[in-house]
Amino acid sequence: NPLIEYLKENKKPLVFEDSKENIHSLKPHMNELKAQCLVPSFLGDRLQGVLILGEKKSDDFYTDDDLALLYAIAQESAVAMENARLYDEQVEYARELEIKYRELDLAKTDLMRLLRQEEESRKREVALKEEALADKQKIQEMEMQLIERERNRVLGDMAGGLAHELRHPFS
């Protein structure tokens, strides 16, 4: 828009009745807005907004004092808008942090639950291994007892056979 380009270039208010400026090509655009005065609002070099003012109620022209005051108000409004934008960003960032904190807390809770399950699983595994070792030892003891019994039976049979042979030597 030619009005915006003019305000960006000149960085000062544009008054419809200003005869000092060569703004004839801008007058149709100002008529379209029903504007008598445009006051740019800058934040640094960036155009933040424009105050569009119609005719004064007193039908007077805008004076240099009016324009200075309006320009100051416009600049303060640019700072206020930027502060509001930054505040909104901080509020949104705080919300995002809160969400992340909740997610992190849930993840921590899940991790703690999984660690407890892992610890319980290891304890069960150790208990099962100990039980299996105890069972293996019992089996070995039983095998040893069985071997001992078998040996004793064989020795008993041999002793009984030998005693029989000794009692009936040449029958």
Side-chain angles (χ1 to χ4, degrees), residues 83-129:
N83 286 342
R85 185 189 66 77
L86 291 173
Y87 176 79
D88 286 345
E89 280 181 7
Q90 289 302 311
V91 167
E92 183 60 29
Y93 182 68
R95 282 187 193 132
E96 289 173 9
L97 281 178
E98 182 65 29
I99 290 168
K100 297 281 186 206
Y101 176 76
R102 284 189 207 129
E103 290 172 357
L104 185 62
D105 196 40
L106 287 174
K108 177 183 155 193
T109 303
D110 287 346
L111 180 61
M112 294 301 290
R113 181 181 47 81
L114 290 172
L115 287 173
R116 277 193 300 274
Q117 287 175 348
E118 177 66 21
E119 184 179 341
E120 290 170 6
S121 176
R122 283 186 187 163
K123 285 180 181 178
R124 280 193 299 268
E125 187 178 328
V126 166
L128 287 173
K129 283 182 181 178

